Short mmCIF file of all heavy atoms in Angstrom, two decimals:
data_model
loop_
_atom_site.label_atom_id
_atom_site.label_comp_id
_atom_site.label_asym_id
_atom_site.label_seq_id
_atom_site.Cartn_x
_atom_site.Cartn_y
_atom_site.Cartn_z
N ILE A 1 253.70 195.76 145.34
CA ILE A 1 253.04 196.89 146.01
C ILE A 1 253.98 197.46 147.07
O ILE A 1 254.64 196.70 147.79
CB ILE A 1 251.72 196.43 146.69
CG1 ILE A 1 250.69 196.06 145.62
CG2 ILE A 1 251.16 197.52 147.60
CD1 ILE A 1 249.46 195.40 146.19
N ASN A 2 254.04 198.77 147.15
CA ASN A 2 254.82 199.44 148.18
C ASN A 2 253.87 200.24 149.07
O ASN A 2 253.47 201.35 148.71
CB ASN A 2 255.86 200.37 147.56
CG ASN A 2 256.78 200.99 148.61
OD1 ASN A 2 256.57 200.83 149.81
ND2 ASN A 2 257.80 201.69 148.16
N PRO A 3 253.50 199.69 150.22
CA PRO A 3 252.53 200.35 151.11
C PRO A 3 252.97 201.73 151.58
O PRO A 3 252.13 202.54 152.00
CB PRO A 3 252.43 199.38 152.30
CG PRO A 3 252.89 198.07 151.76
CD PRO A 3 253.96 198.40 150.77
N LEU A 4 254.27 202.01 151.53
CA LEU A 4 254.77 203.31 151.96
C LEU A 4 254.25 204.44 151.07
O LEU A 4 254.27 205.61 151.47
CB LEU A 4 256.31 203.32 151.97
CG LEU A 4 256.98 202.36 152.96
CD1 LEU A 4 258.49 202.43 152.81
CD2 LEU A 4 256.57 202.67 154.39
N ASN A 5 253.79 204.08 149.89
CA ASN A 5 253.28 205.09 148.96
C ASN A 5 251.79 205.38 149.16
O ASN A 5 251.26 206.33 148.56
CB ASN A 5 253.50 204.65 147.51
CG ASN A 5 254.97 204.59 147.15
OD1 ASN A 5 255.76 205.39 147.63
ND2 ASN A 5 255.33 203.64 146.29
N PHE A 6 251.13 204.58 149.97
CA PHE A 6 249.69 204.77 150.17
C PHE A 6 249.40 206.06 150.93
O PHE A 6 250.11 206.42 151.87
CB PHE A 6 249.09 203.60 150.95
CG PHE A 6 249.02 202.31 150.15
CD1 PHE A 6 249.15 201.09 150.79
CD2 PHE A 6 248.84 202.33 148.78
CE1 PHE A 6 249.08 199.89 150.06
CE2 PHE A 6 248.77 201.15 148.05
CZ PHE A 6 248.89 199.93 148.69
N ARG A 7 248.32 206.71 150.53
CA ARG A 7 247.92 207.94 151.22
C ARG A 7 247.34 207.62 152.60
O ARG A 7 247.49 208.39 153.55
CB ARG A 7 246.89 208.70 150.37
CG ARG A 7 247.49 209.33 149.11
CD ARG A 7 246.47 210.13 148.35
NE ARG A 7 245.48 209.27 147.71
CZ ARG A 7 245.61 208.77 146.48
NH1 ARG A 7 246.71 209.03 145.78
NH2 ARG A 7 244.68 208.02 145.95
N ASN A 8 246.64 206.50 152.69
CA ASN A 8 246.07 206.04 153.96
C ASN A 8 246.39 204.56 154.07
O ASN A 8 245.77 203.74 153.38
CB ASN A 8 244.56 206.28 153.98
CG ASN A 8 243.91 205.88 155.30
OD1 ASN A 8 244.21 204.82 155.85
ND2 ASN A 8 243.04 206.72 155.80
N TYR A 9 247.36 204.20 154.92
CA TYR A 9 247.88 202.85 154.94
C TYR A 9 246.81 201.79 155.17
O TYR A 9 246.63 200.87 154.35
CB TYR A 9 248.97 202.72 156.01
CG TYR A 9 249.45 201.29 156.18
CD1 TYR A 9 250.32 200.72 155.26
CD2 TYR A 9 248.99 200.50 157.24
CE1 TYR A 9 250.74 199.40 155.39
CE2 TYR A 9 249.40 199.19 157.37
CZ TYR A 9 250.27 198.64 156.45
OH TYR A 9 250.67 197.34 156.58
N LYS A 10 246.08 201.88 156.28
CA LYS A 10 245.14 200.82 156.63
C LYS A 10 244.00 200.71 155.62
O LYS A 10 243.66 199.61 155.16
CB LYS A 10 244.57 201.06 158.03
CG LYS A 10 245.54 200.72 159.14
CD LYS A 10 244.85 200.70 160.49
CE LYS A 10 245.81 200.22 161.57
NZ LYS A 10 245.16 200.13 162.89
N LYS A 11 243.42 201.82 155.25
CA LYS A 11 242.32 201.81 154.29
C LYS A 11 242.79 201.25 152.95
O LYS A 11 242.12 200.41 152.33
CB LYS A 11 241.76 203.21 154.11
CG LYS A 11 240.62 203.30 153.11
CD LYS A 11 240.13 204.73 152.96
CE LYS A 11 239.02 204.83 151.92
NZ LYS A 11 238.56 206.23 151.75
N SER A 12 243.95 201.70 152.51
CA SER A 12 244.47 201.27 151.20
C SER A 12 244.83 199.79 151.20
O SER A 12 244.51 199.06 150.25
CB SER A 12 245.70 202.10 150.83
OG SER A 12 245.37 203.47 150.71
N MET A 13 245.49 199.32 152.25
CA MET A 13 245.86 197.91 152.33
C MET A 13 244.62 197.02 152.34
O MET A 13 244.59 195.96 151.70
CB MET A 13 246.70 197.64 153.57
CG MET A 13 248.17 197.97 153.41
SD MET A 13 248.99 197.01 152.11
CE MET A 13 248.81 195.34 152.72
N ALA A 14 243.60 197.46 153.06
CA ALA A 14 242.36 196.69 153.12
C ALA A 14 241.70 196.62 151.74
O ALA A 14 241.26 195.55 151.30
CB ALA A 14 241.40 197.32 154.13
N LEU A 15 241.65 197.74 151.05
CA LEU A 15 241.04 197.79 149.72
C LEU A 15 241.83 196.95 148.71
O LEU A 15 241.25 196.21 147.91
CB LEU A 15 240.94 199.24 149.23
CG LEU A 15 239.94 200.12 149.96
CD1 LEU A 15 240.05 201.57 149.48
CD2 LEU A 15 238.51 199.60 149.75
N VAL A 16 243.15 197.07 148.76
CA VAL A 16 243.99 196.30 147.83
C VAL A 16 243.83 194.81 148.11
O VAL A 16 243.76 194.00 147.17
CB VAL A 16 245.47 196.71 147.96
CG1 VAL A 16 246.38 195.76 147.18
CG2 VAL A 16 245.67 198.14 147.46
N SER A 17 243.78 194.43 149.37
CA SER A 17 243.64 193.01 149.73
C SER A 17 242.33 192.42 149.22
O SER A 17 242.28 191.26 148.80
CB SER A 17 243.72 192.85 151.25
OG SER A 17 244.97 193.27 151.75
N LEU A 18 241.27 193.22 149.26
CA LEU A 18 239.96 192.72 148.86
C LEU A 18 239.69 192.86 147.36
O LEU A 18 238.74 192.26 146.84
CB LEU A 18 238.86 193.48 149.62
CG LEU A 18 238.79 193.24 151.14
CD1 LEU A 18 237.72 194.13 151.75
CD2 LEU A 18 238.50 191.78 151.44
N ALA A 19 240.52 193.65 146.67
CA ALA A 19 240.27 193.97 145.26
C ALA A 19 240.16 192.73 144.38
O ALA A 19 239.24 192.61 143.56
CB ALA A 19 241.38 194.88 144.73
N GLY A 20 241.09 191.79 144.54
CA GLY A 20 241.07 190.60 143.70
C GLY A 20 239.86 189.73 143.99
O GLY A 20 239.22 189.21 143.06
N ILE A 21 239.52 189.58 145.26
CA ILE A 21 238.38 188.76 145.67
C ILE A 21 237.08 189.33 145.11
O ILE A 21 236.26 188.61 144.52
CB ILE A 21 238.30 188.68 147.21
CG1 ILE A 21 239.51 187.93 147.75
CG2 ILE A 21 237.00 188.02 147.65
CD1 ILE A 21 239.64 187.98 149.26
N ILE A 22 236.90 190.63 145.29
CA ILE A 22 235.68 191.29 144.81
C ILE A 22 235.58 191.21 143.29
O ILE A 22 234.51 190.97 142.73
CB ILE A 22 235.65 192.76 145.28
CG1 ILE A 22 235.51 192.81 146.81
CG2 ILE A 22 234.52 193.52 144.61
CD1 ILE A 22 235.63 194.20 147.40
N THR A 23 236.71 191.39 142.62
CA THR A 23 236.73 191.31 141.16
C THR A 23 236.30 189.93 140.67
O THR A 23 235.49 189.80 139.74
CB THR A 23 238.13 191.64 140.62
OG1 THR A 23 238.45 193.00 140.95
CG2 THR A 23 238.20 191.47 139.10
N ASN A 24 236.83 188.88 141.30
CA ASN A 24 236.44 187.52 140.91
C ASN A 24 234.96 187.27 141.14
O ASN A 24 234.30 186.62 140.32
CB ASN A 24 237.27 186.49 141.68
CG ASN A 24 238.70 186.41 141.21
OD1 ASN A 24 239.64 186.39 142.00
ND2 ASN A 24 238.91 186.37 139.90
N LEU A 25 234.42 187.78 142.24
CA LEU A 25 233.00 187.60 142.51
C LEU A 25 232.15 188.36 141.49
O LEU A 25 231.11 187.85 141.04
CB LEU A 25 232.67 188.07 143.93
CG LEU A 25 233.17 187.18 145.06
CD1 LEU A 25 232.89 187.82 146.41
CD2 LEU A 25 232.53 185.79 144.99
N ILE A 26 232.58 189.55 141.12
CA ILE A 26 231.85 190.34 140.12
C ILE A 26 231.86 189.62 138.77
O ILE A 26 230.84 189.56 138.07
CB ILE A 26 232.46 191.75 139.99
CG1 ILE A 26 232.17 192.57 141.25
CG2 ILE A 26 231.90 192.47 138.76
CD1 ILE A 26 232.85 193.92 141.28
N LEU A 27 233.01 189.10 138.39
CA LEU A 27 233.12 188.37 137.13
C LEU A 27 232.20 187.16 137.11
O LEU A 27 231.52 186.89 136.11
CB LEU A 27 234.57 187.94 136.89
CG LEU A 27 235.57 189.04 136.58
CD1 LEU A 27 237.00 188.49 136.55
CD2 LEU A 27 235.25 189.73 135.26
N ALA A 28 232.18 186.42 138.21
CA ALA A 28 231.31 185.24 138.30
C ALA A 28 229.85 185.66 138.23
O ALA A 28 229.03 185.02 137.55
CB ALA A 28 231.58 184.48 139.60
N PHE A 29 229.52 186.73 138.93
CA PHE A 29 228.14 187.23 138.98
C PHE A 29 227.63 187.56 137.58
O PHE A 29 226.52 187.17 137.20
CB PHE A 29 228.09 188.46 139.88
CG PHE A 29 226.73 189.11 139.95
CD1 PHE A 29 225.73 188.55 140.74
CD2 PHE A 29 226.45 190.27 139.24
CE1 PHE A 29 224.47 189.14 140.81
CE2 PHE A 29 225.21 190.87 139.31
CZ PHE A 29 224.22 190.30 140.09
N PHE A 30 228.44 188.27 136.80
CA PHE A 30 227.99 188.69 135.47
C PHE A 30 228.17 187.60 134.41
O PHE A 30 227.65 187.73 133.30
CB PHE A 30 228.71 189.97 135.04
CG PHE A 30 228.19 191.20 135.71
CD1 PHE A 30 228.91 191.82 136.72
CD2 PHE A 30 226.95 191.71 135.37
CE1 PHE A 30 228.41 192.94 137.36
CE2 PHE A 30 226.43 192.83 136.01
CZ PHE A 30 227.16 193.46 137.01
N ALA A 31 228.87 186.52 134.77
CA ALA A 31 228.98 185.39 133.85
C ALA A 31 227.73 184.52 133.91
O ALA A 31 227.43 183.79 132.94
CB ALA A 31 230.21 184.55 134.18
N VAL A 32 226.99 184.61 135.01
CA VAL A 32 225.81 183.76 135.20
C VAL A 32 224.75 183.97 134.10
O VAL A 32 224.26 182.98 133.53
CB VAL A 32 225.19 183.98 136.60
CG1 VAL A 32 223.82 183.32 136.70
CG2 VAL A 32 226.11 183.42 137.67
N PRO A 33 224.36 185.21 133.78
CA PRO A 33 223.33 185.35 132.73
C PRO A 33 223.80 184.82 131.37
O PRO A 33 223.00 184.29 130.60
CB PRO A 33 223.08 186.87 132.68
CG PRO A 33 224.27 187.49 133.30
CD PRO A 33 224.71 186.52 134.35
N PHE A 34 225.09 184.94 131.07
CA PHE A 34 225.61 184.41 129.82
C PHE A 34 225.57 182.88 129.83
O PHE A 34 225.30 182.24 128.80
CB PHE A 34 227.05 184.91 129.58
CG PHE A 34 227.12 186.38 129.31
CD1 PHE A 34 227.47 187.27 130.31
CD2 PHE A 34 226.83 186.88 128.05
CE1 PHE A 34 227.54 188.64 130.08
CE2 PHE A 34 226.89 188.25 127.80
CZ PHE A 34 227.24 189.13 128.81
N PHE A 35 225.84 182.31 131.01
CA PHE A 35 225.75 180.86 131.13
C PHE A 35 224.31 180.38 130.92
O PHE A 35 224.07 179.37 130.24
CB PHE A 35 226.22 180.42 132.51
CG PHE A 35 226.03 178.95 132.79
CD1 PHE A 35 226.81 178.00 132.16
CD2 PHE A 35 225.03 178.53 133.66
CE1 PHE A 35 226.62 176.64 132.39
CE2 PHE A 35 224.83 177.18 133.91
CZ PHE A 35 225.62 176.23 133.27
N LYS A 36 223.37 181.13 131.47
CA LYS A 36 221.96 180.76 131.31
C LYS A 36 221.56 180.82 129.83
O LYS A 36 220.79 179.99 129.34
CB LYS A 36 221.07 181.68 132.15
CG LYS A 36 221.21 181.45 133.66
CD LYS A 36 220.48 182.50 134.46
CE LYS A 36 218.97 182.32 134.38
NZ LYS A 36 218.50 181.14 135.15
N LEU A 37 222.11 181.83 129.12
CA LEU A 37 221.81 181.94 127.69
C LEU A 37 222.44 180.80 126.89
O LEU A 37 221.90 180.36 125.88
CB LEU A 37 222.33 183.28 127.16
CG LEU A 37 221.59 184.54 127.62
CD1 LEU A 37 222.32 185.79 127.15
CD2 LEU A 37 220.15 184.54 127.07
N CYS A 38 223.58 180.32 127.37
CA CYS A 38 224.31 179.25 126.67
C CYS A 38 223.93 177.86 127.15
O CYS A 38 224.45 176.86 126.63
CB CYS A 38 225.82 179.44 126.85
SG CYS A 38 226.48 180.95 126.10
N ALA A 39 223.05 177.78 128.14
CA ALA A 39 222.70 176.48 128.72
C ALA A 39 222.15 175.51 127.68
O ALA A 39 222.35 174.30 127.76
CB ALA A 39 221.70 176.65 129.86
N GLY A 40 221.47 176.05 126.67
CA GLY A 40 220.89 175.21 125.63
C GLY A 40 221.94 174.60 124.71
O GLY A 40 221.63 173.72 123.91
N PHE A 41 223.20 175.09 124.84
CA PHE A 41 224.26 174.57 123.98
C PHE A 41 224.92 173.32 124.57
O PHE A 41 225.83 172.75 123.97
CB PHE A 41 225.35 175.63 123.78
CG PHE A 41 224.88 176.90 123.14
CD1 PHE A 41 225.59 178.08 123.27
CD2 PHE A 41 223.71 176.93 122.39
CE1 PHE A 41 225.17 179.25 122.68
CE2 PHE A 41 223.27 178.10 121.79
CZ PHE A 41 224.00 179.26 121.93
N ALA A 42 224.48 172.91 125.76
CA ALA A 42 225.14 171.81 126.47
C ALA A 42 225.20 170.53 125.64
O ALA A 42 226.18 169.79 125.69
CB ALA A 42 224.43 171.54 127.79
N SER A 43 224.17 170.27 124.88
CA SER A 43 224.13 169.04 124.09
C SER A 43 224.36 169.30 122.60
O SER A 43 224.11 168.43 121.77
CB SER A 43 222.78 168.33 124.29
OG SER A 43 221.72 169.19 123.91
N SER A 44 224.83 170.49 122.29
CA SER A 44 225.04 170.86 120.89
C SER A 44 226.24 170.12 120.30
O SER A 44 227.20 169.79 120.99
CB SER A 44 225.26 172.36 120.77
OG SER A 44 225.58 172.72 119.44
N THR A 45 226.19 169.87 119.01
CA THR A 45 227.32 169.27 118.31
C THR A 45 228.18 170.33 117.64
O THR A 45 229.20 170.00 117.03
CB THR A 45 226.83 168.27 117.25
OG1 THR A 45 225.94 168.95 116.34
CG2 THR A 45 226.09 167.11 117.91
N ASN A 46 227.77 171.58 117.76
CA ASN A 46 228.52 172.69 117.18
C ASN A 46 229.67 173.06 118.11
O ASN A 46 229.45 173.36 119.29
CB ASN A 46 227.60 173.89 116.96
CG ASN A 46 228.32 175.07 116.35
OD1 ASN A 46 229.02 175.80 117.04
ND2 ASN A 46 228.15 175.25 115.04
N ALA A 47 230.91 173.05 117.61
CA ALA A 47 232.08 173.29 118.46
C ALA A 47 232.04 174.67 119.11
O ALA A 47 232.38 174.82 120.28
CB ALA A 47 233.36 173.15 117.63
N GLY A 48 231.62 175.67 118.37
CA GLY A 48 231.56 177.04 118.91
C GLY A 48 230.59 177.15 120.06
O GLY A 48 230.87 177.80 121.07
#
């Protein structure tokens, strides 16, 4: 990243810094319903 290219240094740096964290939280959040759907597979003998 080259901060000199940002249109607004402080705002952009703050957003870029938080982007990865927020993305990981969003991914975890939306993985939860799929996990709940797959919870019944915990004792399954099917590899898939």
Side-chain angles (χ1 to χ4, degrees):
I1 292 171
N2 185 353
L4 296 177
N5 294 326
F6 289 148
R7 289 183 289 271
N8 182 316
Y9 174 77
K10 284 192 175 183
K11 179 181 178 181
S12 299
M13 278 299 298
L15 290 174
V16 171
S17 298
L18 294 176
I21 294 171
I22 293 173
T23 296
N24 287 134
L25 288 175
I26 290 174
L27 290 173
F29 177 78
F30 284 106
V32 169
F34 292 99
F35 174 72
K36 290 172 72 72
L37 289 173
C38 296
F41 300 159
S43 58
S44 174
T45 57
N46 180 282

